[in-house]
Amino acid sequence: MSCDYTALAAPGVQGLQPYQPGKPIEELARELGLDPAGIVKLASNENPLGPSGKALAAMQAALPELCRYPDGNGFALKQKLAERFALGVDQITLGNGSNDVLELIARGFADRDSEIIYSQHAFAVYPLVTQAIGAHHVQVPAKNWGHDLPAMAAAVTERTRIIFIANPNNPTGTVVGQGALTGFLEQIPERVVVVLDEAYCEYMHGDDAADGIPLLARFPNLIVSRTFSKAWGLAGLRVGYGIANAQITNVLNRVRQPFNVDSLAQAAAVAVLDDADYLAEACRVNSAGLQQLNQGLEALGLEVIPSAANFVAVDVGRDAGPVYEGLLRRGVIVRPVAAYGMPRHLRISVGLEAENRQCLSALAAVLAEL
Ligand SMILES: *Cc1c(COP(=O)(O)O)cnc(C)c1O
């Protein structure tokens, strides 16, 4: 090989660090010779309930049509979402997971001359999609682990095209209140697209709940992204969506692959939206689990960042690497977040009651032995 293909990669891609997913159960089982059934994975903010029965039945029913291409327009799913949120079908972009939508936004609205703003400790996909298109990233220091909206507004320049805000944020679980968000949007020029990533919004209830949808009518530069991967329990299918005005939606659909959401994913997503009981149970189990983890971690003398999502970031009081490794040896997979600038924290996803318990007792044992 006489060519250095790494050096030939597009400029942004040369410095790109691939996304580090949570360790799969099967991989840990292979590495340590453990029984996969005994391993607890609380590393990827997945829904511990398993998928909805309604989603499974819809996929079963869709199987005979697998020889055909999916509906590239996602008619049934968009229709369903439009009804649910009282929006137009022309305001919805379907994605292969909401990560796909985030990438469509970067490709649709930014290039190498653009600046993209996001917060320190924010979701790792924002730097990834920014670098992949060679745009300039502007990372604004966090405040109390969360988004510092005034500082983010102050970072806008002539070259700013996109601002990403995760609400709640992953991996910190922090929330931006509706009032602060509205005040922020009022300050941002309309030519700058603001992305509200609401991957965990279904877990939130009451007055403090994050909800960008009512703001869409007032702020034409707003895009709200949501997903079926978390509370709706369909992470393996890869389906998410963006909501925005019809012009923005048209731009996103120009850069979208025509068949980016497969037919089983579309069928399952349509069906699960009718499964209100599933969502309610997911929220109930999550609230209880969040409380269990918070109490258990505090009982170990550890500091937890208050979370509104289905995970907690906990300061383990030392370099988290060895704690993560110790947990792996005990069959518990959590997520180290050093790559997010949080070397002393671990992110623990909320599991079922017994999984949370297993994680807490493994953590107590690991901390005692270190
Ligand atoms: C999990 C997550 C997503 C969703 O990713 P999908 O591609 O829809 O699975 C998006 N944003 C944040 C902040 C997340 O944590």
Side-chain angles (χ1 to χ4, degrees), residues 43-122:
S44 301
N45 304 342
E46 293 151 341
N47 191 322
L49 291 179
S52 141
K54 286 194 171 161
L56 293 179
M59 288 166 72
Q60 189 73 41
L63 287 176
E65 294 301 316
L66 275 185
C67 54
R68 312 226 174 257
Y69 279 98
D71 177 357
N73 261 322
F75 178 81
L77 179 52
K78 283 200 220 173
Q79 189 79 30
K80 192 111 196 160
L81 289 167
E83 276 165 27
R84 187 180 182 89
F85 300 121
L87 296 162
V89 175
D90 59 357
Q91 292 185 267
I92 299 169
T93 307
L94 299 183
N96 192 253
S98 58
N99 284 331
D100 186 24
V101 177
L102 302 176
E103 195 189 345
L104 297 180
I105 296 166
R107 286 186 17 236
F109 286 97
D111 62 22
R112 291 176 58 179
D113 298 323
S114 312
E115 289 173 0
I116 298 181
I117 298 176
Y118 50 82
S119 173
Q120 182 190 17
H121 312 311

Coordinates of all heavy atoms in Angstrom, one line a residue, residues 43-122:
A43 N -25.5 0.7 30.7 CA -24.5 1.5 30.0 C -24.9 2.3 28.9 O -24.2 3.1 28.4 CB -23.3 0.6 29.6
S44 N -26.1 2.1 28.4 CA -26.5 2.8 27.2 C -27.9 3.4 27.2 O -28.5 3.7 26.2 CB -26.5 1.8 26.0 OG -25.2 1.3 25.8
N45 N -28.4 3.6 28.5 CA -29.7 4.3 28.7 C -30.8 3.6 27.9 O -31.7 4.3 27.4 CB -29.6 5.8 28.3 CG -28.5 6.5 29.0 OD1 -28.0 6.0 30.0 ND2 -28.0 7.6 28.5
E46 N -30.7 2.3 27.9 CA -31.8 1.5 27.2 C -33.0 1.3 28.2 O -32.8 1.4 29.4 CB -31.2 0.2 26.8 CG -30.1 0.4 25.7 CD -29.1 -0.7 25.7 OE1 -28.9 -1.4 26.7 OE2 -28.4 -0.9 24.7
N47 N -34.1 1.0 27.6 CA -35.3 0.7 28.4 C -35.2 -0.7 29.0 O -35.1 -1.7 28.2 CB -36.5 0.9 27.6 CG -37.8 0.9 28.4 OD1 -37.9 0.1 29.3 ND2 -38.8 1.7 28.0
P48 N -35.2 -0.9 30.3 CA -34.9 -2.2 30.9 C -36.2 -3.1 30.8 O -36.1 -4.3 31.1 CB -34.6 -1.9 32.3 CG -35.3 -0.7 32.6 CD -35.3 0.1 31.3
L49 N -37.3 -2.6 30.3 CA -38.5 -3.4 30.3 C -38.6 -4.4 29.2 O -39.4 -5.3 29.1 CB -39.8 -2.5 30.2 CG -40.1 -1.6 31.3 CD1 -41.4 -0.8 31.0 CD2 -40.3 -2.4 32.6
G50 N -37.7 -4.3 28.2 CA -37.9 -5.1 26.9 C -38.9 -4.3 26.1 O -39.6 -3.4 26.5
P51 N -38.9 -4.7 24.8 CA -39.8 -3.9 23.9 C -41.3 -4.2 24.2 O -41.7 -5.2 24.8 CB -39.4 -4.5 22.5 CG -38.7 -5.8 22.7 CD -38.2 -5.8 24.1
S52 N -42.1 -3.3 23.7 CA -43.6 -3.4 23.9 C -44.1 -4.5 23.1 O -43.7 -4.8 21.9 CB -44.2 -2.1 23.4 OG -45.4 -2.3 22.7
G53 N -45.1 -5.3 23.6 CA -45.7 -6.4 22.9 C -46.4 -5.9 21.6 O -46.4 -6.6 20.6
K54 N -46.9 -4.7 21.7 CA -47.6 -4.2 20.5 C -46.6 -3.9 19.4 O -46.9 -4.1 18.2 CB -48.3 -2.8 20.8 CG -49.6 -3.1 21.6 CD -50.4 -1.8 21.7 CE -51.8 -2.2 22.3 NZ -52.5 -1.0 22.8
A55 N -45.4 -3.5 19.7 CA -44.4 -3.2 18.7 C -43.9 -4.6 18.1 O -43.8 -4.7 16.9 CB -43.2 -2.5 19.3
L56 N -43.8 -5.6 18.9 CA -43.3 -6.9 18.4 C -44.4 -7.5 17.5 O -44.0 -8.0 16.4 CB -43.1 -7.9 19.6 CG -41.9 -7.5 20.5 CD1 -41.8 -8.5 21.6 CD2 -40.6 -7.4 19.7
A57 N -45.6 -7.3 17.8 CA -46.7 -7.9 17.0 C -46.8 -7.2 15.6 O -47.0 -7.8 14.6 CB -48.1 -7.8 17.7
A58 N -46.5 -5.9 15.7 CA -46.6 -5.1 14.4 C -45.4 -5.5 13.5 O -45.6 -5.6 12.3 CB -46.5 -3.6 14.7
M59 N -44.3 -5.8 14.1 CA -43.1 -6.2 13.3 C -43.4 -7.6 12.7 O -43.1 -7.8 11.5 CB -41.9 -6.3 14.1 CG -41.4 -4.9 14.5 SD -40.2 -4.9 15.8 CE -38.8 -5.6 14.9
Q60 N -44.0 -8.5 13.5 CA -44.3 -9.8 13.0 C -45.2 -9.7 11.8 O -45.0 -10.3 10.7 CB -45.0 -10.6 14.1 CG -45.3 -12.0 13.8 CD -44.0 -12.8 13.9 OE1 -43.2 -12.6 14.8 NE2 -43.8 -13.7 12.9
A61 N -46.2 -8.8 11.9 CA -47.2 -8.6 10.8 C -46.5 -8.0 9.6 O -47.0 -8.2 8.4 CB -48.3 -7.7 11.3
A62 N -45.4 -7.3 9.8 CA -44.8 -6.6 8.6 C -43.8 -7.5 7.9 O -43.3 -7.2 6.8 CB -44.1 -5.3 9.1
L63 N -43.4 -8.6 8.5 CA -42.4 -9.5 8.0 C -42.6 -9.9 6.5 O -41.7 -9.9 5.7 CB -42.2 -10.7 8.9 CG -41.5 -10.5 10.2 CD1 -41.5 -11.8 11.0 CD2 -40.1 -10.0 10.0
P64 N -43.8 -10.3 6.1 CA -44.0 -10.8 4.7 C -43.6 -9.7 3.7 O -43.4 -10.1 2.5 CB -45.5 -11.2 4.7 CG -45.9 -11.4 6.1 CD -45.0 -10.5 6.9
E65 N -43.6 -8.5 4.0 CA -43.3 -7.4 3.1 C -41.8 -7.1 3.0 O -41.5 -6.1 2.4 CB -44.2 -6.2 3.4 CG -45.7 -6.4 3.3 CD -46.1 -6.8 1.8 OE1 -45.5 -6.1 0.9 OE2 -46.9 -7.7 1.7
L66 N -41.0 -7.9 3.7 CA -39.6 -7.5 3.8 C -38.9 -7.5 2.4 O -37.8 -6.9 2.3 CB -38.8 -8.4 4.8 CG -38.9 -8.0 6.2 CD1 -38.0 -8.9 7.1 CD2 -38.5 -6.5 6.4
C67 N -39.4 -8.1 1.4 CA -38.8 -8.1 0.1 C -39.0 -6.8 -0.6 O -38.3 -6.5 -1.6 CB -39.4 -9.2 -0.8 SG -41.2 -9.1 -0.8
R68 N -39.8 -5.9 0.0 CA -40.1 -4.6 -0.6 C -39.3 -3.5 0.1 O -39.0 -3.7 1.3 CB -41.6 -4.2 -0.5 CG -42.5 -5.3 -1.0 CD -43.6 -4.8 -1.9 NE -44.3 -5.9 -2.4 CZ -44.2 -6.4 -3.7 NH1 -43.3 -5.9 -4.5 NH2 -44.9 -7.4 -4.1
Y69 N -39.0 -2.5 -0.6 CA -38.4 -1.3 0.1 C -39.4 -0.7 1.1 O -40.6 -0.8 0.9 CB -38.0 -0.2 -0.9 CG -36.7 -0.5 -1.6 CD1 -36.7 -1.1 -2.9 CD2 -35.5 -0.2 -1.0 CE1 -35.5 -1.4 -3.5 CE2 -34.3 -0.5 -1.6 CZ -34.3 -1.1 -2.9 OH -33.1 -1.3 -3.5
P70 N -38.9 -0.1 2.1 CA -39.8 0.6 3.1 C -40.4 1.8 2.4 O -40.0 2.2 1.4 CB -38.9 1.0 4.2 CG -37.5 1.0 3.7 CD -37.5 0.0 2.6
D71 N -41.5 2.3 3.0 CA -42.0 3.6 2.6 C -41.0 4.7 2.8 O -40.8 5.1 4.0 CB -43.3 3.9 3.3 CG -44.0 5.2 3.0 OD1 -43.3 5.9 2.1 OD2 -45.0 5.5 3.5
G72 N -40.4 5.2 1.8 CA -39.4 6.2 1.9 C -39.9 7.5 2.5 O -39.1 8.4 3.0
N73 N -41.2 7.7 2.5 CA -41.8 8.9 3.0 C -42.3 8.7 4.4 O -42.8 9.6 5.1 CB -43.0 9.3 2.1 CG -42.6 10.4 1.2 OD1 -41.8 11.3 1.6 ND2 -43.1 10.4 0.0
G74 N -42.3 7.4 4.9 CA -42.7 7.2 6.3 C -44.1 7.7 6.5 O -44.4 8.2 7.6
F75 N -45.0 7.5 5.6 CA -46.4 8.1 5.6 C -47.1 7.8 6.9 O -47.5 8.7 7.7 CB -47.2 7.6 4.5 CG -48.6 8.2 4.5 CD1 -48.9 9.4 4.1 CD2 -49.7 7.4 5.0 CE1 -50.2 10.0 4.1 CE2 -51.0 7.9 5.1 CZ -51.2 9.2 4.6
A76 N -47.2 6.5 7.3 CA -48.1 6.2 8.5 C -47.5 6.7 9.7 O -48.2 7.3 10.6 CB -48.2 4.6 8.6
L77 N -46.1 6.6 9.9 CA -45.5 7.1 11.1 C -45.6 8.6 11.2 O -45.9 9.2 12.3 CB -44.0 6.6 11.2 CG -43.2 7.0 12.4 CD1 -44.0 6.7 13.7 CD2 -41.9 6.4 12.4
K78 N -45.3 9.3 10.1 CA -45.4 10.8 10.1 C -46.8 11.2 10.5 O -47.0 12.2 11.2 CB -44.9 11.3 8.8 CG -43.4 11.3 8.6 CD -43.1 12.4 7.6 CE -42.0 11.9 6.7 NZ -41.8 12.8 5.5
Q79 N -47.8 10.5 9.8 CA -49.2 10.9 10.1 C -49.5 10.8 11.6 O -50.1 11.6 12.2 CB -50.0 9.9 9.3 CG -51.5 10.2 9.2 CD -51.8 11.3 8.2 OE1 -51.1 11.4 7.2 NE2 -52.8 12.1 8.5
K80 N -49.0 9.7 12.1 CA -49.3 9.4 13.6 C -48.7 10.4 14.5 O -49.3 10.9 15.4 CB -48.7 8.0 13.9 CG -49.1 7.4 15.2 CD -50.0 6.3 14.9 CE -50.8 5.9 16.2 NZ -52.0 5.2 16.0
L81 N -47.4 10.8 14.1 CA -46.7 11.8 14.9 C -47.4 13.2 14.8 O -47.5 13.9 15.7 CB -45.2 11.9 14.5 CG -44.4 10.6 14.9 CD1 -43.0 10.7 14.2 CD2 -44.2 10.6 16.4
A82 N -47.8 13.5 13.5 CA -48.4 14.8 13.3 C -49.7 14.9 14.1 O -49.9 16.0 14.7 CB -48.6 14.9 11.8
E83 N -50.5 13.8 14.1 CA -51.7 13.9 14.9 C -51.4 14.0 16.4 O -52.0 14.8 17.1 CB -52.5 12.6 14.7 CG -53.3 12.6 13.5 CD -53.8 11.1 13.2 OE1 -53.9 10.3 14.1 OE2 -54.0 10.9 12.0
R84 N -50.4 13.3 16.9 CA -50.1 13.3 18.3 C -49.7 14.7 18.7 O -50.0 15.1 19.8 CB -48.9 12.3 18.5 CG -48.5 12.1 20.0 CD -47.4 11.1 20.1 NE -47.0 10.9 21.4 CZ -47.6 9.9 22.2 NH1 -48.5 9.1 21.7 NH2 -47.2 9.8 23.4
F85 N -49.0 15.4 17.9 CA -48.5 16.7 18.3 C -49.2 17.9 17.7 O -48.8 19.0 17.8 CB -47.0 16.9 18.0 CG -46.1 15.8 18.7 CD1 -45.3 14.9 17.9 CD2 -46.1 15.7 20.1 CE1 -44.6 14.0 18.5 CE2 -45.3 14.7 20.7 CZ -44.6 13.9 19.9
A86 N -50.3 17.6 17.0 CA -51.1 18.6 16.2 C -50.2 19.5 15.4 O -50.2 20.7 15.4 CB -51.9 19.4 17.2
L87 N -49.4 18.8 14.5 CA -48.5 19.5 13.6 C -48.7 19.0 12.2 O -49.5 18.0 12.0 CB -47.0 19.1 14.0 CG -46.5 19.6 15.3 CD1 -45.3 18.8 15.7 CD2 -46.2 21.1 15.3
G88 N -48.1 19.6 11.2 CA -48.2 19.1 9.8 C -47.3 18.0 9.6 O -46.2 17.9 10.1
V89 N -47.7 17.1 8.7 CA -46.8 16.0 8.2 C -45.5 16.6 7.6 O -44.4 16.0 7.7 CB -47.5 15.1 7.2 CG1 -46.6 14.0 6.6 CG2 -48.7 14.5 7.9
D90 N -45.7 17.8 7.0 CA -44.5 18.4 6.3 C -43.5 19.0 7.3 O -42.6 19.7 7.0 CB -45.0 19.4 5.3 CG -45.8 20.5 5.9 OD1 -46.1 20.5 7.2 OD2 -46.2 21.5 5.2
Q91 N -43.8 18.8 8.6 CA -42.9 19.3 9.7 C -42.0 18.2 10.3 O -41.2 18.5 11.2 CB -43.7 20.0 10.8 CG -44.4 21.3 10.3 CD -45.0 21.9 11.5 OE1 -46.2 21.7 11.8 NE2 -44.3 22.7 12.2
I92 N -42.1 17.0 9.8 CA -41.5 15.9 10.4 C -40.4 15.2 9.5 O -40.7 15.0 8.3 CB -42.5 14.8 10.8 CG1 -43.5 15.4 11.8 CG2 -41.9 13.6 11.4 CD1 -44.7 14.6 12.1
T93 N -39.3 15.0 10.0 CA -38.2 14.2 9.3 C -37.9 13.0 10.1 O -37.6 13.1 11.3 CB -36.9 15.1 9.3 OG1 -37.2 16.4 8.7 CG2 -35.9 14.4 8.4
L94 N -38.0 11.8 9.5 CA -37.7 10.6 10.1 C -36.2 10.3 10.0 O -35.6 10.6 9.0 CB -38.5 9.4 9.6 CG -40.0 9.6 9.7 CD1 -40.7 8.3 9.1 CD2 -40.5 9.8 11.1
G95 N -35.6 9.7 11.1 CA -34.2 9.4 11.0 C -33.9 7.9 11.5 O -34.8 7.3 12.2
N96 N -32.8 7.4 11.0 CA -32.3 6.1 11.5 C -31.7 6.3 12.9 O -30.5 6.4 13.1 CB -31.2 5.7 10.5 CG -30.9 4.2 10.7 OD1 -29.8 3.9 11.2 ND2 -31.8 3.4 10.3
G97 N -32.7 6.4 13.9 CA -32.3 7.0 15.2 C -32.3 8.5 15.1 O -32.2 9.0 14.0
S98 N -32.4 9.2 16.2 CA -32.4 10.6 16.1 C -30.9 11.1 15.8 O -30.7 12.2 15.4 CB -32.9 11.3 17.4 OG -32.3 10.9 18.5
N99 N -29.9 10.2 16.1 CA -28.6 10.6 15.7 C -28.5 10.9 14.2 O -27.7 11.8 13.8 CB -27.6 9.5 16.0 CG -27.3 9.4 17.5 OD1 -27.3 10.4 18.1 ND2 -27.0 8.2 17.9
D100 N -29.3 10.2 13.4 CA -29.3 10.4 12.0 C -29.8 11.8 11.7 O -29.3 12.6 10.9 CB -30.2 9.3 11.4 CG -30.3 9.4 9.8 OD1 -29.3 9.9 9.2 OD2 -31.3 8.9 9.3
V101 N -30.9 12.2 12.4 CA -31.5 13.6 12.3 C -30.4 14.6 12.6 O -30.3 15.6 11.9 CB -32.7 13.7 13.1 CG1 -33.3 15.1 13.0 CG2 -33.8 12.7 12.7
L102 N -29.7 14.4 13.7 CA -28.6 15.4 14.1 C -27.6 15.5 13.0 O -27.2 16.6 12.7 CB -27.9 14.9 15.4 CG -28.9 14.7 16.6 CD1 -28.1 14.2 17.8 CD2 -29.6 16.0 17.0
E103 N -27.3 14.4 12.3 CA -26.3 14.5 11.2 C -26.9 15.2 10.0 O -26.2 16.0 9.3 CB -25.8 13.1 10.9 CG -24.6 13.1 10.0 CD -24.2 11.8 9.4 OE1 -24.7 10.7 9.9 OE2 -23.4 11.8 8.5
L104 N -28.2 14.9 9.7 CA -28.8 15.6 8.6 C -28.8 17.1 8.8 O -28.6 17.9 7.9 CB -30.3 15.1 8.5 CG -30.5 13.6 8.1 CD1 -32.0 13.4 8.0 CD2 -29.8 13.3 6.8
I105 N -29.0 17.5 10.1 CA -29.0 19.0 10.4 C -27.6 19.6 10.1 O -27.5 20.6 9.4 CB -29.4 19.2 11.8 CG1 -30.9 18.7 12.1 CG2 -29.3 20.7 12.2 CD1 -31.3 18.6 13.5
A106 N -26.6 18.9 10.5 CA -25.2 19.4 10.3 C -25.0 19.5 8.8 O -24.5 20.5 8.3 CB -24.2 18.5 11.0
R107 N -25.3 18.4 8.1 CA -25.0 18.4 6.7 C -25.9 19.4 5.9 O -25.5 19.9 4.9 CB -25.2 17.0 6.1 CG -24.0 16.1 6.6 CD -24.0 14.7 6.0 NE -24.7 14.5 4.8 CZ -25.7 13.5 4.7 NH1 -25.9 12.7 5.7 NH2 -26.3 13.4 3.6
G108 N -27.1 19.5 6.4 CA -28.1 20.4 5.7 C -27.8 21.9 5.9 O -28.1 22.7 5.0
F109 N -27.2 22.3 7.0 CA -27.1 23.7 7.3 C -25.7 24.2 7.6 O -25.5 25.4 7.8 CB -28.0 24.0 8.5 CG -29.4 24.0 8.2 CD1 -30.2 22.9 8.4 CD2 -30.0 25.1 7.6 CE1 -31.6 22.9 8.1 CE2 -31.3 25.1 7.2 CZ -32.1 24.0 7.5
A110 N -24.7 23.3 7.6 CA -23.3 23.8 7.9 C -22.3 23.3 6.9 O -22.6 22.2 6.3 CB -22.9 23.4 9.3
D111 N -21.2 24.0 6.8 CA -20.1 23.5 6.0 C -18.8 23.9 6.7 O -18.8 24.3 7.8 CB -20.2 23.9 4.5 CG -20.1 25.5 4.4 OD1 -19.6 26.1 5.4 OD2 -20.6 26.0 3.4
R112 N -17.7 23.8 5.9 CA -16.4 24.0 6.6 C -16.2 25.5 7.0 O -15.3 25.7 7.8 CB -15.3 23.7 5.5 CG -15.2 22.2 5.3 CD -14.2 21.9 4.2 NE -12.9 22.3 4.6 CZ -11.8 22.2 3.9 NH1 -11.9 21.6 2.7 NH2 -10.6 22.6 4.3
D113 N -17.0 26.4 6.6 CA -16.9 27.8 7.0 C -17.7 28.1 8.2 O -17.7 29.2 8.7 CB -17.2 28.7 5.9 CG -16.3 28.5 4.7 OD1 -15.1 28.3 4.9 OD2 -16.8 28.6 3.6
S114 N -18.5 27.1 8.7 CA -19.5 27.4 9.7 C -19.0 27.1 11.1 O -18.0 26.3 11.3 CB -20.7 26.5 9.5 OG -21.2 26.5 8.2
E115 N -19.6 27.7 12.1 CA -19.4 27.4 13.5 C -20.6 26.7 14.0 O -21.8 27.1 13.7 CB -19.1 28.6 14.3 CG -17.7 29.2 14.0 CD -17.5 30.6 14.6 OE1 -18.4 31.1 15.4 OE2 -16.4 31.1 14.4
I116 N -20.4 25.7 14.8 CA -21.5 24.9 15.5 C -21.2 25.0 17.0 O -20.1 24.7 17.5 CB -21.6 23.5 15.0 CG1 -21.9 23.5 13.5 CG2 -22.6 22.7 15.8 CD1 -22.0 22.1 12.9
I117 N -22.2 25.5 17.8 CA -22.1 25.7 19.2 C -22.7 24.5 20.0 O -23.9 24.1 19.7 CB -22.7 27.0 19.6 CG1 -22.0 28.2 18.9 CG2 -22.6 27.2 21.1 CD1 -22.7 29.6 19.2
Y118 N -22.0 24.0 21.0 CA -22.6 23.1 21.9 C -21.9 23.3 23.3 O -20.9 24.0 23.4 CB -22.6 21.7 21.4 CG -21.2 21.2 21.0 CD1 -20.3 20.8 21.9 CD2 -20.9 21.2 19.6 CE1 -19.1 20.3 21.4 CE2 -19.7 20.8 19.2 CZ -18.8 20.3 20.1 OH -17.5 19.9 19.6
S119 N -22.5 22.6 24.3 CA -21.9 22.8 25.7 C -20.9 21.8 26.0 O -20.9 20.7 25.5 CB -23.1 22.7 26.7 OG -22.6 22.7 28.0
Q120 N -20.0 22.2 26.9 CA -19.1 21.2 27.5 C -19.9 20.1 28.2 O -21.0 20.4 28.7 CB -18.3 21.9 28.6 CG -17.3 21.1 29.4 CD -16.7 21.9 30.5 OE1 -17.3 22.9 31.0 NE2 -15.6 21.4 31.1
H121 N -19.5 18.9 28.2 CA -20.2 17.7 28.8 C -21.5 17.4 28.0 O -22.3 16.7 28.6 CB -20.6 17.9 30.3 CG -19.5 18.5 31.1 ND1 -18.2 17.9 31.2 CD2 -19.4 19.5 32.0 CE1 -17.5 18.6 32.0 NE2 -18.2 19.5 32.6
A122 N -21.7 17.9 26.8 CA -22.9 17.6 26.1 C -22.7 16.3 25.3 O -21.6 15.8 25.2 CB -23.3 18.8 25.2

